[in-house]
Amino acid sequence: LLGTILLAETLDALDVDFAVTGFQDVLIELKGFDQHFDDAARRAIAEIPQEVSGCRHGGNNQPGYNDDGPCVLEAATDLLAQPATERVLVVVSDGLPEGRRSTREDLRQTVSKLTQPGINLELVGLGLGPGTQHVKQYYPQSVADVPVARFADEIAKVIERVLVG
């Protein structure tokens, strides 16, 4: 939660257009590209832990699913539709990429499609928590097994690398 807030606050302060979207078996929009980063967006992001626990009021609440392939593809499609010269999609994974409607192969195909030459998208995988070494198998740019307490630090490194170079 703190890493996500840090990322959102930093991007907002730098006047960078961004969205914050969670996913389980479907995308869970927390802050859209067309939405200001206001108190409502902050509240939605603050509810991430409840979604992960399956108890978010009015939420999707399907924490047992990690339909990475179709959800990453949908989020990337939304991002690629934005008028921008540079696009970065950071995918935070806390479990194996298989769910109600997809398999690990779906994520492999999605990453292959999104990393082809001519696609104006930088794709970064971040494995949150122990046992997330699998992100290195899927994402060409990745950090795995990030302890929850170090998530904000790792997100800050991604921001620095992408925005500063």
Side-chain angles (χ1 to χ4, degrees):
L1 174 61
L2 293 177
T4 304
I5 298 256
L6 168 70
L7 178 60
E9 292 286 356
T10 301
L11 294 173
D12 185 59
L14 295 171
D15 202 28
V16 173
D17 289 337
F18 68 97
V20 178
T21 307
F23 69 92
Q24 292 167 341
D25 55 337
V26 296
L27 289 183
I28 304 164
E29 185 176 295
L30 303 169
K31 187 249 175 244
F33 285 106
D34 59 346
Q35 179 185 1
H36 292 289
F37 188 57
D38 55 13
D39 288 342
R42 286 179 179 89
R43 278 192 300 278
I45 292 169
E47 293 175 351
I48 290 173
Q50 295 165 356
E51 191 71 61
V52 171
S53 300
C55 63
R56 180 176 174 218
H57 180 71
N60 188 59
N61 297 315
Q62 296 296 323
Y65 295 124
N66 280 326
D67 285 291
D68 294 41
C71 289
V72 169
L73 184 58
E74 187 177 344
T77 300
D78 291 347
L79 176 56
L80 289 167
Q82 299 304 309
T85 55
E86 295 182 72
R87 295 175 183 90
V88 179
L89 178 59
V90 178
V91 179
V92 179
S93 175
D94 64 355
L96 292 173
E98 51 196 12
R100 181 179 63 81
R101 61 186 181 117
S102 68
T103 66
R104 297 175 190 197
E105 186 56 33
D106 293 315
L107 179 58
R108 279 188 185 84
Q109 290 174 6
T110 292
V111 170
S112 176
K113 181 184 291 188
L114 296 175
T115 55
Q116 290 182 11
I119 303 292
N120 183 17
L121 176 72
E122 187 171 347
L123 185 60
V124 180
L126 195 150
L128 180 60
T132 57
Q133 247 337 291
H134 65 276
V135 298
K136 292 188 175 220
Q137 297 171 18
Y138 298 96
Y139 298 95
Q141 295 185 64
S142 60
V143 181
D145 292 331
V146 174
V148 173
R150 293 216 18 90
F151 181 71
D153 293 331
E154 292 299 327
I155 282 291
K157 288 179 189 174
V158 169
I159 293 169
E160 181 179 13
R161 186 183 55 73
V162 170
L163 296 179
V164 179

